[in-house]
Amino acid sequence: MNGRKAAISLCMLCALLGSAIAAQGASAVSGTTAFTCKAGAGDVGGKTYTTDHCKPSEAAGEFGHYKITEGTSTELAGNSNGEVAKLKATIAGAAVTFTSSSATGSGTMENKVDVSGEHYAHGEGTIVFNEITVSTPKCFAYTDEGGAKGAKGTVDTEKLTVTTKGQGGALKLTPATGEIFARFWVLDANKKTSAEGGECPIGSTYTITGSIKGVPDGATARMTHAESTAQGTLKLGTGAKVGIEGVVALEGRDSKIEGDTFKPLSVTTVETP
């Protein structure tokens, strides 16, 4: 399975379905929901921001939070914001790093409320990591296409689910079905595994399993190797822990409005009446 891919997929999808989540004040509605960040004073929270990423640390400016009505399907798009993403794992006793220079994501999300009254955001999506390189000499990553070797330097995740339900200020990312986050191949230049006589010492198929949590910062989400490894819930197969690092910028639009422009989805604590 694609260790690198899972890493990015994680980080990205973390931002992808999670970056749109904002915690609402306990004095009003309990839980975390999604908000659009765009030009204007906003219609919730009473705070403005310097940029359209609406990061909590920003000074007052020209952008504000706007509500997304419960049950409204929001189409998601994400990108790595020009930064590289990395997945680090120990394979066959050696430290291996998978690096992607570009990643994109897509999916949908919506705000919901459960029978207990908790408001939360829920979504599904996938991430595609491109231009992947492997730190181990003579090794290349390939996407897994139904058990067959796919495109070189590309890895995409399984369908992933992200939810803030019961997670406090965080979001939890898990496979939509089963336990597998991603699958990928590591091969030599002739598309051979080690067992097939390939020159790549770790040439084989790999899977990333488990779950991971993240806390976005406005419309930008960042994850570090140390933080993701410390959780201990994301693994190579069912064995060694893996860590991911990278950044993703998340945008959304009402999927029912044809041609509506994507706008940043921000995660921030806000007070609602």
Side-chain angles (χ1 to χ4, degrees), residues 3-207:
R4 151 75 198 145
K5 159 193 174 65
I8 299 183
S9 130
L10 244 105
C11 176
M12 181 121 180
L13 225 172
C14 225
L16 185 144
L17 289 218
S19 216
I21 296 163
Q24 297 191 8
S27 62
V29 177
S30 174
T32 60
T33 55
F35 294 85
T36 299
C37 178
K38 60 184 179 180
D43 59 11
V44 62
K47 183 179 178 181
T48 58
Y49 304 86
T50 307
T51 74
D52 62 0
H53 278 200
C54 289
K55 294 185 178 182
S57 60
E58 293 178 357
E62 301 177 356
F63 300 90
H65 281 124
Y66 288 82
K67 298 176 184 177
I68 298 177
T69 305
E70 288 176 2
T72 299
S73 179
T74 299
E75 183 181 356
L76 299 174
N79 63 80
S80 53
N81 206 33
E83 296 191 29
V84 300
K86 296 182 179 181
L87 176 138
K88 300 178 180 180
T90 299
I91 301 177
V96 180
T97 299
F98 297 83
T99 302
S100 170
S101 63
S102 115
T104 58
S106 62
T108 60
M109 62 77 58
E110 63 182 83
N111 290 329
K112 297 185 176 184
V113 58
D114 70 6
V115 294
S116 72
E118 178 186 2
H119 290 244
Y120 64 98
H122 177 88
E124 291 187 342
T126 57
I127 305 299
V128 178
F129 302 93
N130 302 299
E131 302 176 44
I132 297 173
T133 58
V134 185
S135 61
T136 303
K138 299 184 178 181
C139 294
F140 301 90
Y142 293 77
T143 189
D144 181 287
E145 296 183 354
K149 306 163 190 175
K152 180 180 178 181
T154 299
V155 174
D156 51 5
T157 66
E158 300 293 307
K159 180 179 287 187
L160 303 175
T161 295
V162 172
T163 187
T164 60
K165 184 177 180 180
Q167 304 304 315
L171 61 89
K172 186 175 183 179
L173 181 65
T174 59
T177 59
E179 298 182 349
I180 297 176
F181 256 102
R183 311 168 191 265
F184 64 97
W185 294 73
V186 177
L187 308 168
D188 72 3
N190 295 314
K191 295 188 178 182
K192 292 183 178 181
T193 65
S194 298
E196 296 169 327
E199 297 182 283
C200 171
I202 60 170
S204 186
T205 57
Y206 294 92
T207 60

